[in-house]
Amino acid sequence: MSEAIPEARLGRRVRHELRRRVLEVRRVEHVTPRMVRVTLGGPELEGFHTASFDDHMKLFFPAPGEEEPSMPVMGPNGAVFPEGAPRSPARDYTPRRHDPDRGELSIDFALHAEGPATEWAADARPGARLGVGGPRGSFILPDDLDWYLLAGDETALPAIGRRLEELPPTARAIAVIEVADAAERQSLPERPGIEIHWLERNGAPAGEPGRLEPALSAVAIPPGEGHAWVACESEVARLLRRVLTERHGLPKERVKAAGYWRRGAVASHEVVGD
C-alpha cells in the first residue's frame, strides 16, 4: 500500500470575500488571431484578490442593446437581479493577470463562433463596461513540487500561461496544449525546465480526444512529487484524467481535471472526478 500524501503537500483552499464589481475596459489586444486580451480597471477593482492560476470569476456582459451590465445582488434566497432590468448573460473566466499596483485586471477570451462572451470581446473598446464577480476562493498548490503537468485546449491557455509565468524559476513544468492551428500558438515562458508540446487541429473539430489523449499518454512523467492539471472539453477531460491515474499511475489526489466546456451545451463548467 502506498503511503498517504501529507495534506499540506496536496494544496490548500482559501476563501475570498465575494464581491461584484463593474469595471471599465482600458486596453484590447489580440494575443493571437483567435485570442483577445481585455485589460480592465476602475475604482471598484480595489481589493480584488486572485491567488491561484485557475481561479474562476463570473463575468456579466451587458444585455443586447445595453451598455451597462445588470449585476445580481445577494438576497435571502440567493443572488437576484434588479427588478425590471434585463438579465445580463454570465460566463466563467480565469483572471489572466492582476496588477494591483497599476489597478488592472486582464482576461483572455478565446473567440468561438458565437455566444455573449465572444460577441462582447470581439467588439470590446476602451470605455466599455463589464461586470465581474469573485473569485470566491483559490486552490493553492505548493510551489516547491518536483514537477507540474498542465494539459488542455485553448480554453485552458489563460490558466496555463499564468501558471508558467508565476512558477518559481527553478520549477519543472510540462505543458500539452491543443490549439486550432500554428497561428494560435502563444508566446509562453521559455527556460530550462519548461517543456511545451503544441498540438494543432488544422481544421479538425474541437472537443475530440484524438490529439490530447495520445500526446498525454506519451509524456514522460518526471520522478518525484508533482501535480497534474487538465482543462478542456468535459468528456475529453474525463478521459485525460483516466490516462493520468490509470496509465501513468498518478495518485488521484495529484490530478485535478475540469471541463471548461461541453460539446452541445451552453455555459458548461464542471469539475471532473471518477
Side-chain angles (χ1 to χ4, degrees):
M1 182 180 297
S2 60
E3 294 183 5
I5 303 171
E7 187 174 345
R9 304 301 293 164
L10 293 174
R12 59 187 176 91
R13 295 190 181 277
V14 297
R15 304 293 293 179
H16 309 308
E17 177 190 3
L18 179 58
R19 289 179 54 186
R20 294 179 175 88
R21 301 166 163 87
V22 176
L23 304 177
E24 188 172 282
V25 174
R26 288 187 174 177
R27 294 188 304 281
V28 179
E29 59 183 307
H30 273 269
V31 180
T32 67
R34 297 184 183 93
M35 186 74 77
V36 170
R37 178 166 298 159
V38 178
T39 298
L40 307 164
E44 293 187 22
L45 189 60
E46 181 70 28
F48 180 87
H49 189 64
T50 172
S52 182
F53 70 100
D54 64 345
D55 284 349
H56 294 290
M57 309 173 296
K58 186 73 74 175
L59 302 186
F60 298 89
F61 302 93
E66 302 290 326
E67 295 185 359
E68 191 85 6
S70 176
M71 299 292 286
V73 297
M74 290 304 297
N77 299 314
V80 294
F81 282 85
E83 185 175 354
R87 183 161 183 161
S88 290
R91 297 292 187 270
D92 288 319
Y93 272 81
T94 300
R96 177 60 177 84
R97 184 178 294 123
H98 176 224
D99 186 337
D101 293 331
R102 298 186 61 173
E104 293 184 342
L105 171 66
S106 295
I107 306 168
D108 285 1
F109 294 83
L111 300 182
H112 306 291
E114 57 185 11
T118 288
E119 293 168 4
W120 183 87
D123 293 334
R125 299 290 185 274
R129 309 272 280 174
L130 181 68
V132 176
R136 290 176 177 269
S138 303
F139 181 72
I140 303 174
L141 287 167
D143 62 5
D144 60 349
L145 297 179
D146 296 306
W147 54 267
Y148 301 86
L149 175 62
L150 308 156
D153 58 21
E154 51 265 77
T155 63
L157 247 177
I160 292 175
R162 175 177 170 180
R163 183 60 168 163
L164 294 177
E165 290 175 1
E166 293 181 352
L167 279 173
T170 56
R172 184 174 186 182
I174 302 169
V176 182
I177 309 166
E178 177 187 314
V179 292
D181 51 42
E184 292 307 302
R185 295 189 180 200
Q186 293 188 16
S187 177
L188 298 177
E190 297 181 7
R191 61 166 173 77
I194 291 182
E195 177 184 331
I196 299 177
H197 303 269
W198 291 100
L199 313 172
E200 299 166 10
R201 290 192 297 275
N202 293 320
E208 296 184 345
R211 289 157 296 277
L212 281 166
E213 190 273 337
L216 195 59
S217 297
V219 165
I221 302 293
E225 191 180 33
H227 186 274
W229 180 90
V230 169
C232 52
E233 196 279 331
S234 289
E235 292 307 312
V236 178
R238 187 166 283 107
L239 173 61
L240 298 185
R241 177 178 168 83
R242 290 198 298 269
V243 167
L244 291 165
T245 58
E246 298 174 9
R247 191 169 305 179
H248 286 300
L250 296 180
K252 293 177 181 179
E253 299 87 350
R254 289 295 194 192
V255 179
K256 183 179 180 182
Y260 273 11
W261 62 286
R262 179 184 289 277
R263 295 180 72 176
V266 176
S268 175
H269 183 101
E270 63 177 318
V271 175
V272 173
D274 300 326

